[in-house]
């Protein structure tokens, strides 16, 4: 212990101080609690909050002046021991000042920064799963203590750090086995296991079947045609297609995640814009079956059916779980589908619990900008996450909008809403109009814009409706709303 340092010991933990005749130890120990106001019906009351929720992650803080710290502690102690009520009150005021100084010099972060650090550690696991990773190492990336990191990770994502890392490794192993001809030893090393026999045992324990049996049973020459979002249904089933539409800009996530393991890349420019070229490339790849989304033209269907059996995913109106189960039945992946759905529900419950106060009766307006037109954005994935999971509500004047989805700046000004989320189409014409629009006085007069409650959304995942996209929407919602609560 250092004489210029304040040590923090949370409730339900212990500490010890030991000295000797040559080096006596004297310390001042403060016991205190922190309370916040909460609403209970129409009444408000005080409730105690945990240190992890409100204060800091480190357990000690070094102040600039040891002598002043020593003097402050002595003054607080003397005043608190006094029989004079005024001095007792003075002791509390002095302690508040000390607490403020500790907070000002500590390296603690805002909740938003903590969440960002947690996501950085999670992303690190997603890309460095083949390395030896420890809780201490990941906690350093998140810049929090190891214990806090382990606790908040499980609270946020519904599973422990090591459980998540094992899940990432096993999922990646399945992809490698199904999408290539690599030997088992190489697969084990590529996902972070030095011992291929240990990897085999862990794989069988996780999935109930050995790696070799899994490869023999599951490997198919599957092609995806049309929408890249179909990959968001194959990933939960641990299926890597032989051919799929991919593009480094228009499908960035899938391109970087699955691209190296998909042999045939179809053109993904603006959702199958180059149809003829894609059909010719697909025919040369000789797939066993083809999966597409709804909305194909008749001539496309006829051409695809000449190449291989064609299966169309059920429409979005039937819900992603029914779509996923349909696809799992087609590919004989029923067990994988049920495991993923069960795991997703656990993560969804953790997400809802962690963000229970995010909406809290507040309204949200979802808007899309396309060229020069503002309109309501009604994607099923966005509606599910923001309105069903987080329980935001639509502004009253838009509860029954009918078929009219067009908006104007003047109309948005009149809508009473606490938050606005905006998705700007990423083409040159729309981006140029958006650049001009946001600098106009009328736009800046929108209450949510003026109050900093306008949140820009990215095309992915917010325009896609798939199981994987929903997961990323939940993560994005945490980033958007937790740091700057609506």
């Amino acid at each position: 212990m250092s004489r210029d340092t304040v040590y923090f010991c949370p409730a339900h933990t212990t500490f010890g101080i030991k000295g000797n005749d040559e080096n006596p130890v004297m310390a001042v120990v403060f016991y205190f609690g922190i309370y916040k106001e909460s609403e209970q019906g129409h009444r408000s009351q005080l409730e105690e909050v945990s240190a992890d929720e409100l204060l800091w992650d480190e357990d000690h803080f070094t102040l600039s002046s040891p002598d002043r710290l020593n003097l402050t502690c002595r003054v607080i102690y003397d005043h608190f021991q006094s029989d004079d009520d005024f001095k007792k009150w003075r002791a509390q005021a002095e302690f508040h000042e000390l607490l403020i100084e500790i907070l000002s010099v500590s390296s603690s972060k805002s909740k938003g920064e903590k969440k960002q650090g947690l996501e950085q550690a999670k992303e690190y696991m997603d890309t460095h799963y083949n390395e030896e990773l420890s809780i201490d190492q990941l906690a350093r990336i998140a810049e929090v203590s190891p214990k806090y990191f382990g606790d908040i990770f499980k609270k946020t994502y519904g599973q422990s750090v090591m459980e998540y890392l094992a899940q990432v490794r096993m999922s990646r192993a399945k992809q490698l086995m199904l999408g290539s001809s690599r030997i088992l030893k190489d697969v084990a090393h590529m996902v972070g296991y030095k011992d291929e026999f240990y990897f085999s045992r862990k794989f069988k324990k996780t999935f109930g079947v050995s790696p070799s049996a899994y490869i023999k049973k599951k490997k198919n020459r599957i092609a995806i045609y049309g929408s890249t979002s179909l990959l968001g249904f194959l990933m939960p089933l641990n299926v890597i297609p032989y051919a799929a539409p991919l593009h480094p800009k228009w499908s960035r996530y899938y391109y970087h995640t699955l691209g190296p393991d998909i042999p045939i890349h179809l053109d993904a420019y603006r959702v199958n814009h180059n149809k003829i070229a894609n059909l010719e490339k697909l025919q040369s790849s000789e797939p066993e079956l083809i999966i597409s989304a709804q909305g194909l033209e008749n001539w496309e269907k006829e051409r695809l059916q000449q190449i291989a059996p064609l299966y169309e995913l059920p429409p979005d109106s039937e819900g992603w779980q029914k779509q996923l189960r349909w696809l799992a039945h087609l590919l004989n992946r029923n067990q994988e589908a049920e495991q993923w759905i069960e795991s997703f529900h656990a993560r969804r419950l953790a997400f809802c619990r962690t963000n229970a106060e995010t909406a809290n009766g507040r309204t949200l307006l979802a808007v899309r900008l396309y060229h020069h037109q503002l309109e309501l954005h009604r994607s099923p994935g966005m509606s599910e996450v923001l309105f069903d999971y987080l329980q935001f509500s639509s502004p009253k004047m838009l509860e029954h909008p009918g078929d009219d989805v067009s908006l104007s700046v003047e109309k948005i000004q009149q809508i009473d809403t606490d938050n606005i989320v905006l998705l700007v189409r990423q083409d040159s014409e729309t981006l140029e109009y958006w650049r001009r629009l946001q600098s106009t006085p009328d736009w800046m007069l929108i209450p949510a814009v003026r109050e900093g409650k306008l949140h820009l959304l990215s095309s992915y995942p917010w325009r896609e409706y798939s199981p994987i996209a929903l997961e990323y929407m939940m993560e994005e919602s945490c980033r958007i709303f937790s740091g700057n609560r609506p």
Side-chain angles (χ1 to χ4, degrees), residues 264-365:
I264 306 298
H265 290 196
L266 305 179
D267 195 310
Y269 177 72
R270 293 191 177 178
V271 189
N272 203 26
H273 182 75
N274 298 312
K275 297 181 179 181
I276 300 298
N278 280 343
L279 288 168
E280 292 176 352
K281 184 180 290 187
L282 197 58
Q283 183 170 6
S284 64
S285 68
E286 299 181 348
E288 295 177 2
L289 61 89
I290 301 170
I291 303 170
S292 76
Q294 298 283 319
L296 295 181
E297 298 183 51
N298 289 332
W299 71 269
E300 286 180 280
K301 291 183 181 180
E302 293 176 1
R303 180 72 182 275
L304 289 169
Q305 288 167 350
Q306 293 172 0
I307 299 173
L310 173 65
Y311 299 90
E312 293 182 84
L313 192 73
D316 291 345
S317 59
E318 298 195 15
W320 68 267
Q321 293 186 56
K322 187 170 183 178
Q323 291 175 307
L324 183 62
R325 287 188 169 109
W326 175 90
L327 187 59
H329 179 74
L330 173 68
L331 302 177
N332 193 24
R333 302 288 206 282
N334 296 313
Q335 181 181 355
E336 286 83 352
E338 296 307 321
Q339 287 178 345
W340 198 92
I341 290 173
E342 182 181 355
S343 177
F344 176 85
H345 285 318
R347 294 190 293 275
R348 177 179 62 83
L349 289 174
F351 165 73
C352 294
R353 183 169 57 249
T354 304
N355 298 276
E357 298 181 1
T358 294
N360 194 22
R362 291 174 170 82
T363 55
L364 182 140
L365 174 65

Side-chain angles (χ1 to χ4, degrees), residues 78-79 172 198 211 269 343 444 449:
D78 291 341
H79 284 167
R172 182 57 177 157
Y198 173 76
Y269 177 72
S343 177
M444 290 185 286
V449 175

Side-chain angles (χ1 to χ4, degrees), residues 348-386:
R348 177 179 62 83
L349 289 174
F351 165 73
C352 294
R353 183 169 57 249
T354 304
N355 298 276
E357 298 181 1
T358 294
N360 194 22
R362 291 174 170 82
T363 55
L364 182 140
L365 174 65
V367 182
R368 178 173 178 254
L369 177 62
Y370 174 62
H371 289 177
H372 301 111
Q373 179 62 52
L374 290 161
E375 57 186 32
L376 290 176
H377 189 57
R378 296 174 173 174
S379 70
M382 176 188 292
S383 298
E384 188 165 329
V385 172
L386 297 182

Side-chain angles (χ1 to χ4, degrees), residues 6 54-58 60-65 68-69 95-110 113:
V6 174
L54 192 62
L55 290 178
W56 43 72
D57 305 319
E58 303 299 325
H60 64 278
F61 312 101
T62 301
L63 303 186
S64 58
S65 175
R68 190 164 68 84
L69 175 62
F95 176 72
H96 291 160
E97 290 293 330
L98 175 61
L99 198 59
I100 290 171
E101 183 176 359
I102 293 172
L103 288 169
S104 68
V105 302
S106 74
S107 60
S108 65
K109 304 175 180 62
S110 68
E113 290 173 320

Side-chain angles (χ1 to χ4, degrees), residues 48-261:
E48 189 169 7
V49 297
S50 67
D52 282 345
E53 178 184 353
L54 192 62
L55 290 178
W56 43 72
D57 305 319
E58 303 299 325
D59 60 359
H60 64 278
F61 312 101
T62 301
L63 303 186
S64 58
S65 175
D67 293 333
R68 190 164 68 84
L69 175 62
N70 183 34
L71 177 61
T72 300
C73 290
R74 287 181 177 276
V75 169
I76 295 173
Y77 177 80
D78 291 341
H79 284 167
F80 192 75
Q81 296 298 316
S82 172
D83 294 330
D84 188 332
D85 289 340
F86 177 79
K87 288 186 176 181
K88 285 182 177 292
W89 175 80
R90 179 66 182 271
Q92 293 186 2
E94 293 281 355
F95 176 72
H96 291 160
E97 290 293 330
L98 175 61
L99 198 59
I100 290 171
E101 183 176 359
I102 293 172
L103 288 169
S104 68
V105 302
S106 74
S107 60
S108 65
K109 304 175 180 62
S110 68
K111 290 182 179 179
E113 290 173 320
K114 290 179 184 177
K115 175 65 68 175
Q116 185 178 9
L118 192 65
E119 291 174 352
Q120 288 174 348
K122 183 172 177 286
E123 290 175 1
Y124 190 87
M125 283 190 279
D126 291 339
T127 55
H128 294 78
Y129 53 83
N130 59 326
E131 301 174 5
E132 291 188 18
L133 300 177
S134 66
I135 297 289
D136 289 349
Q137 178 185 358
L138 295 168
R140 287 195 295 271
I141 294 172
E143 298 185 19
V144 296
S145 67
K147 182 181 184 303
Y148 180 81
F149 175 73
D151 292 343
I152 197 64
F153 189 97
K154 186 167 186 178
K155 181 180 178 182
T156 302
Y157 299 114
Q159 56 189 150
S160 71
V161 178
M162 290 298 112
E163 287 172 343
Y164 178 78
L165 179 59
Q167 175 187 304
V168 172
R169 285 172 169 172
M170 288 296 124
S171 296
R172 182 57 177 157
K174 280 187 172 182
Q175 294 172 355
L176 290 171
M177 288 188 290
L178 295 173
S180 68
S181 58
R182 295 181 178 94
I183 62 174
L184 189 60
K185 181 179 180 180
D186 290 342
V187 171
H189 291 176
M190 292 177 72
V191 297
Y193 295 100
K194 294 181 179 179
D195 186 344
E196 62 181 290
F197 300 104
Y198 173 76
F199 164 73
S200 296
R201 292 194 300 270
K202 191 169 185 63
F203 188 96
K204 186 172 183 178
K205 183 178 179 180
T206 303
F207 301 112
V209 63
S210 68
S212 57
Y214 181 84
I215 294 173
K216 183 178 180 180
K217 181 180 178 182
K218 303 296 182 179
K219 197 164 187 179
N220 291 312
R221 202 177 178 93
I222 299 169
I224 297 300
Y225 178 82
S227 176
T228 307
S229 64
L230 290 167
L231 292 170
F233 287 89
L234 289 182
M235 287 181 68
L237 304 179
N238 295 298
V239 173
I240 294 183
Y242 188 76
L246 289 168
H247 191 280
K249 177 181 178 182
W250 302 104
S251 58
R252 182 181 296 110
Y253 170 73
Y254 296 119
Y255 180 86
H256 291 292
T257 305
L258 301 177
D261 296 305

